[in-house]
Structures are given as C-alpha cells and as structure tokens.
C-alpha cells in the first residue's frame, strides 16, 4: 500500500436554508464580488434573488457574469478573468453546476496572470500558483467540482476539452450544498449526474493496486447510494432524502478521499472528454455509453477478481458461480442501470455520432502514448472501445 496525503480544506454548509450563511462567508474575503452563473436556471428557480439578497446583506458590491455554457468554453473564462482584473474583484461566487464552478476556478487563476488562460491547458502548461478565493453554491449533483481542485475547459477552435487539477489552489473556500436547490434539475440531467458520479468512483475502484479495504467498502457504499437514490430522484424530483444522498455523494466521489494510495490514472474520463470536445455532448451521457464498453474491454483473467468483488458487493450477484459469469452479469447490471433504469441513450449512433473522428479522438485521449489506467490502453485499444459504442 502506498503512502498518501489527505487534505480537503473546503468548508461545506450542507442542508436546507444554509444559504443564510452566505453573507457572513462572503464578507470574510473583501468588498467586491463577481457572481458567475450559467444559462439562467438560477433566475427561473429563484436562487438568483436569494444569492443577490445575501450579497446585499454582506454590504458588498456585485458584478455579474452569466451565460457560462455546459462544457464551459475558454472564452467565458477569458471574460471572467478580465472582469476580475478590471473591477478589482476580491471573491468569486459560482452559482451552478460543474460547468459554472469549473469555469470560475480558471477565472480566479486567470485573474492573477497576464497571459491567456488557455495557456493553463495547452502545451505551455503555465503554472497556477495563486487564484482569487471562490465560494460555490452547487445546483446540480454530478461533477464534485464543489469540493475538488480541478476543472475541465473546452476550446471549440481546436476541438480540445482539457482538464487541470491544481491542489489545493483551485478548491472553493466554501461550498453551499442545499439539496432543495436540485429539485428543479431535469430527469435527464439527474441521470447524467448519476452516471458521472458512478464513473468517478469506477475510475478509482477498478484498479488492481492493493489499497485500503476500508476505502473499497466506502466506494461500494457510495455506488449503492447512487443506484438506490437516482431512480427515486428521477421519479420524485422533490424527494429530499434522495437529493441529499446524491448531493453528498457527488462531493465525496471525487474530492480525493477515496484515492487513498492508488496511483493509477483514469480511463473513461479522458476518452469521454474527447467525445464532448468534438460533439459537445453532456459529460455524464458520454460516460454512460463508454463505461460498459470499457468494462467489457478490460475484462480478463487478470482483472476478473475486481469485477467479482463489484458484482457481489454492489449488485448482490450470487457469489457461487464461476468468476467470469459473475463479471459478465455485473456488466449487464451496469448497462441495465444506465440505459433502462436511468433511461439514458446507449450508443453514439443515437446521438448522431459516427466514426468520422474516432481515430483522432483515440489518439488524443492517450496523447499518442498509453492511458495508464486500470488496464493500460493505447490508441488502437481506445479505438476499439469507441467503435463498440457506435
Ligand atoms: O446553465 P444553466 O441555465 O444553469 O442550466 C444548467 C445546464 O443547462 C442545468 N442546471 C444546473 N442546475 C440546475 C439546472 N437546471 C435546473 N435546475 C438546477 N438546479 O443543467 C445543465 C448542465 O449543467 P452543467 O453545469 O453543465 O452540468 P454538470 O454539473 O454536469 O457539469 C458538467 C461539466 O463539468 C465537467 C464536465 O466535463 C462538464 O464540462 N467535469 C468537471 C469535473 C471536476 N471539476 O472535477 C469532473 C467531471 O468529471 C467533469 O469532467
Ligand atoms: Zn466526470
């Protein structure tokens, strides 16, 4: 087992009406706040008014940047960084899902440098050594951006969607997680969020490194939580228990805690980011389509034990069967959950995605080398997985 460092300094206010503490938290960081949000859901739900009232209560000056896209674009980051500089912003307030929070993280870092924020992602890999403080108000349970130190930004000019993790500089200082705020999330986005969280756990759980039994049990508990509560949230959008369980799982699936000493890289995410970069699809949907095909590709005598552990502990599959049978049943259970229970589309073809970019996407996903994940994947392997998604 490898040594590891645990350090997640995000203060979380969890639960209904916790937003009343926003003013006191904002005021700790200065006088001028940049409120960032997406395409307007926060105005429709009334959250915008509640947040603005808190900013006023804090006696702070408010600036706003709206229109952050799902799969947020570098142009939004550029605008935000520029606004921070122009208006001498002290703190950024991101109100939204992963796209808004991710974009805000790189606005906060971009405010501290003179170069183009895209240089954080391209071959220049410009250092991120400081950032303005961020407070987040999460509105969609999925990415975990509210409690992690990374983000993913798209550049449509180059068909790139690239991520960067900069622990702990980009962590929100404070995150507000009120499950009632997610009551208005559509069934589709709830399903995509569930697929995303599940994948965050798979990326760590499916790993042949020896690690803590305790962490494997914790991950199995989170997977069971998603499998239990996502369908309830879809059927009963205002079910507090379901929304609360999903919300807290969103944060803990990716805040670093479950990594323990595991060092392997992720697999499905780099592949999905290529698909989103070329086709601008919802991240969780892309993961839902890729994940079972990746599981099928990686299954072998060498890896089968992990599938057995997963199938038996998470789906309750009868352990008294040959290992390969259990593994295949486990993959079928994953498909059933994603495509039948959650109702997500199951192929690229249904999304209008053909094989036109598959070779390039495969090459870019592994950077012309190897994705060193659960099973190392080269570009030919990734191409096979993509083709199996068609
Ligand atoms: O833009 P608005 O109008 O707010 O609407 C959004 C958007 O259309 C809507 N929405 C959000 N909260 C809502 C709501 N609608 C009604 N009621 C609410 N309460 O949902 C749509 C999707 O929002 P978005 O923020 O794009 O979704 P998500 O949270 O899934 O974020 C996806 C982005 O995060 C990245 C993804 O790649 C993608 O770009 N990721 C970030 C990660 C991270 N920071 O660690 C890790 C993830 O693996 C992921 O890559
Ligand atoms: Zn994800």
């Amino acid at each position: 087992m490898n040594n590891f460092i645990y350090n997640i300094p995000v203060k979380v206010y969890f639960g209904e009406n916790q937003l009343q503490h926003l003013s006191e938290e904002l005021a700790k960081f200065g006088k001028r706040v940049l409120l960032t949000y997406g395409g307007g859901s926060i105005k429709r739900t009334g959250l915008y008014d509640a947040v603005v009232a808190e900013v006023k209560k804090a006696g702070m000056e408010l600036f706003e940047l709206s229109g952050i896209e799902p799969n947020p674009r570098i142009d939004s980051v550029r605008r935000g960084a520029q606004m921070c500089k122009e208006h001498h912003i002290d703190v950024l307030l991101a109100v939204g899902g992963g796209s808004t929070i991710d974009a805000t993280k790189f606005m906060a870092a971009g405010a501290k440098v003179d170069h183009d924020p895209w240089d954080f992602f391209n071959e220049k890999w410009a250092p991120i050594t400081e950032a303005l403080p961020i407070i987040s108000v999460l509105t969609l349970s999925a990415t975990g951006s509210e409690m992690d130190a990374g983000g993913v930004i798209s550049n449509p000019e180059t068909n790139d969607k690239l991520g960067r993790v900069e622990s702990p500089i980009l962590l929100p200082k404070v995150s507000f997680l009120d499950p009632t705020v997610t009551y208005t999330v559509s069934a589709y986005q709830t399903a995509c969020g569930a697929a995303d969280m599940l994948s965050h756990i798979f990326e760590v759980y499916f790993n042949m490194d020896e690690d803590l039994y305790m962490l494997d049990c914790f991950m199995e508990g989170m997977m069971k939580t998603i499998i239990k509560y996502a369908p309830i949230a879809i059927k009963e959008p205002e079910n507090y228990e379901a929304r609360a369980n999903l919300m807290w799982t969103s944060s803990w699936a990716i805040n670093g805690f479950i990594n323990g000493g595991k060092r392997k890289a992720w697999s499905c995410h780099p592949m999905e980011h290529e698909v989103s970069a070329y086709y601008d699809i919802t991240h969780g949907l892309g993961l839902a389509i890729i994940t079972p095909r990746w599981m099928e590709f990686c299954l072998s005598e060498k890896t089968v034990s992990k599938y057995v552990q997963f199938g038996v502990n998470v789906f309750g599959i009868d352990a008294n069967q040959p290992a390969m049978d259990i593994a295949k049943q486990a993959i079928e259970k994953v498909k059933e959950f994603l495509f039948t229970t959650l109702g997500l589309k199951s192929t690229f073809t249904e999304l209008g995605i053909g094989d036109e970019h598959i070779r390039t996407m495969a090459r870019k996903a592994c950077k012309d080398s190897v994705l060193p994940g659960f099973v190392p994947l080269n570009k030919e392997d990734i191409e096979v997985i993509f083709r199996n998604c068609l």
Side-chain angles (χ1 to χ4, degrees), residues 5 22 60-61 69 110 177 199 214 247 272-273 276 279 282 286 333 341 347 352 357 369:
I5 296 170
L22 177 59
M60 297 173 78
E61 194 173 352
E69 315 80 5
L177 276 60
S199 175
M214 171 269 186
M247 198 165 218
E272 196 292 316
H273 287 159
S276 282
Y279 299 97
T282 307
K333 288 277 184 198
T341 310
T347 62
H357 296 302
S369 173

Side-chain angles (χ1 to χ4, degrees), residues 177-252:
L177 276 60
D178 177 348
T180 67
V181 163
T182 65
Y183 285 173
T184 51
V185 175
S186 66
Y188 169 69
Q189 286 292 346
T190 303
C192 290
D196 189 18
M197 289 181 231
L198 204 55
S199 175
H200 296 158
I201 304 165
F202 277 26
E203 299 275 27
V204 181
Y205 183 85
F206 283 94
N207 188 313
M208 298 312 283
D209 284 1
E210 281 296 309
D211 207 60
L212 289 165
Y213 170 79
M214 171 269 186
L215 286 177
D216 269 15
C217 294
F218 186 85
M219 286 187 257
E220 286 160 6
M222 287 202 294
M223 291 190 268
K224 285 161 86 165
T225 302
I226 297 163
I227 291 163
K228 174 173 175 167
Y229 284 110
I232 298 175
I234 288 170
K235 277 199 202 85
E236 302 166 32
E238 302 199 3
N239 184 311
Y240 187 86
E241 186 184 326
R243 293 295 192 184
N245 273 282
L246 292 174
M247 198 165 218
W248 204 211
T249 304
S250 153
S251 305
W252 282 87

